């Protein structure tokens, strides 16, 4: 049995249309952080009696703004939200 890692961002590494560089690295890092924080959101949501609702809503807002920075290709905001998401626990 061969175990393979299912990398949701594998298309960034194998795409011939995307050039490698500082922006691509920032995009990839931000996408990884968005995925990681979305997993944290599910953990916050699973806390009983709604004790994680505040944390969940704050993280949801950060993820939404991070997505918006990607859509708008605003590298200044991408860096800002990357730094913010990187420090989410």
């Amino acid at each position: 049995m061969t175990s393979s890692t299912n990398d949701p961002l594998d298309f960034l590494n194998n795409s011939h249309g995307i050039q490698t560089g500082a922006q691509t690295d920032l995009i990839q890092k931000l996408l990884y952080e968005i995925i990681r924080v979305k997993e944290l959101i599910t953990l916050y949501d699973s806390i009983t009696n709604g004790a994680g609702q505040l944390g969940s809503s704050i993280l949801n807002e950060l993820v939404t703004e991070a997505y918006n920075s990607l859509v708008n290709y605003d590298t200044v905001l991408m860096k800002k939200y990357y730094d913010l998401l990187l420090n989410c626990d």
Side-chain angles (χ1 to χ4, degrees):
M1 176 191 248
T2 306
S3 65
S4 64
T5 58
N6 187 9
D7 184 3
L9 301 176
D10 192 44
F11 68 93
L12 289 173
N13 296 328
N14 295 328
S15 176
H16 298 291
I18 296 178
Q19 298 175 346
T20 58
Q23 287 89 4
T24 305
D25 291 343
L26 177 60
I27 291 169
Q28 187 173 8
K29 289 178 182 179
L30 182 57
L31 286 170
Y32 275 117
E33 286 305 312
I34 288 171
I35 292 168
R36 185 185 68 81
V37 171
K38 286 185 76 66
E39 291 173 359
L40 284 175
I41 291 169
T42 60
L43 291 175
Y44 276 91
D45 286 338
S46 69
I47 298 174
T48 57
N49 298 327
Q53 288 295 348
L54 178 61
S56 174
S57 64
I58 292 170
L59 293 179
N60 270 317
E61 184 66 27
L62 285 174
V63 166
T64 300
E65 293 300 322
Y67 275 131
N68 287 337
S69 71
L70 284 170
V71 169
N72 296 325
Y73 202 71
D74 186 335
T75 55
V76 173
L77 284 178
M78 281 193 266
K79 175 67 172 130
K80 173 187 173 182
Y81 286 108
Y82 170 72
D83 291 338
L84 287 170
L85 293 177
L86 188 63
N87 293 307
C88 291
D89 294 334

